[in-house]
Amino acid sequence: MFTGIITGVGRIVAIHDLGRSLHHGKRLTIEAPAGYLDDVGLGDSIALNGACMTVTTFNPENRQFTIDISAESLDKTSGLDQEGAVNLEKALRANDRLGGHIVSGHVDGVGQISLFEQIGESWELRILAPHALAKYLAYKGSITVNGVSLTVNRVSDVPQGCEISINLIPHTVDNTALGGLKAGSRVNLEIDTVARYVERMLSLEATQQDQP
């Protein structure tokens, strides 16, 4: 379980194939910020760009840890198959503050940036989300973008999917990897857990009402 509050920006520095076929995954080596691994143990969960992964090895001295990612996870996410900056968040502890919203670390879909530009002191981020996620996206609702808990400011249903607009304050841009995004970039999206359960309850109730 996570909160969508990024605790560090790391970097994928090496990618190794776990096999030769398309059914094999990859082993990623991630370089973390100084001191980030001091309280990390083998088997701990760390979210990379919003995708929950398991620490398979770690070395605090060189600030690096590894994770194994399956072919299925690579197919359902973005940004984990290439070297570069990634948002990091350690799993939530029972006594931690819930500063963002409840995040599971399971990517629901991949969106595409349609606009990212500075407006005043902040930035406007527009994302085209898949049709399948449209019913979960609402004005002032929560969305996780590459692991970052954000608030939706505008929702527009369009033929290509559902476009949402988000305001990023300077602190978010400076302290996450979102500042490196641009139009055309692909991002991992996770819908609000509450919205998921509400949709399930409503759809089940409607189905039962339709039954004789």
Side-chain angles (χ1 to χ4, degrees):
M1 192 67 67
F2 303 90
T3 70
I5 302 300
I6 300 306
T7 53
V9 177
R11 177 168 292 275
I12 298 174
V13 295
I15 302 174
H16 299 285
D17 294 331
L18 294 176
R20 297 184 178 181
S21 77
L22 295 177
H23 301 292
H24 288 94
K26 298 182 183 295
R27 176 164 296 153
L28 309 183
T29 300
I30 299 97
E31 185 176 87
Y36 193 83
L37 300 178
D38 289 350
D39 61 347
V40 169
L42 192 65
D44 281 1
S45 295
I46 296 180
L48 276 65
N49 273 358
C52 179
M53 298 294 163
T54 300
V55 176
T56 53
T57 66
F58 69 100
N59 187 338
E61 293 183 2
N62 66 8
R63 299 161 37 200
Q64 293 185 349
F65 67 97
T66 64
I67 63 99
D68 291 348
I69 181 170
S70 67
E72 172 70 11
S73 293
L74 286 169
D75 183 59
K76 302 301 182 183
T77 60
S78 176
L80 301 181
D81 58 352
Q82 57 191 1
E83 297 182 6
V86 287
N87 292 317
L88 304 176
E89 183 186 354
K90 300 172 186 176
L92 179 69
R93 290 177 173 145
N95 63 339
D96 284 344
R97 292 179 177 176
L98 187 59
H101 70 282
I102 297 175
V103 175
S104 66
H106 301 154
V107 176
D108 293 302
V110 175
Q112 186 173 37
I113 305 301
S114 53
L115 177 74
F116 187 46
E117 67 178 16
Q118 189 168 7
I119 300 178
E121 78 285 355
S122 300
W123 282 259
E124 181 183 7
L125 175 65
R126 294 184 195 171
I127 304 170
L128 181 63
H131 278 290
L133 301 187
K135 59 186 175 182
Y136 302 105
L137 303 174
Y139 172 65
K140 295 303 179 184
S142 296
I143 183 75
T144 306
V145 180
N146 276 359
V148 184
S149 173
L150 298 169
T151 301
V152 177
N153 289 332
R154 188 169 65 251
V155 179
S156 301
D157 293 309
V158 296
Q160 300 87 353
C162 179
E163 187 179 63
I164 57 175
S165 177
I166 298 167
N167 180 72
L168 298 181
I169 62 174
H171 178 84
T172 302
V173 175
D174 293 339
N175 291 277
T176 70
L178 296 184
L181 297 176
K182 59 184 178 180
S185 296
R186 286 158 52 85
V187 290
N188 297 321
L189 303 176
E190 181 184 335
I191 59 172
D192 185 11
T193 299
V194 175
R196 190 194 313 273
Y197 282 107
V198 169
E199 192 277 334
R200 171 59 178 164
M201 289 186 290
L202 292 177
S203 63
L204 182 60
E205 182 178 351
T207 300
Q208 291 175 338
Q209 290 177 348
D210 291 339
Q211 293 177 349

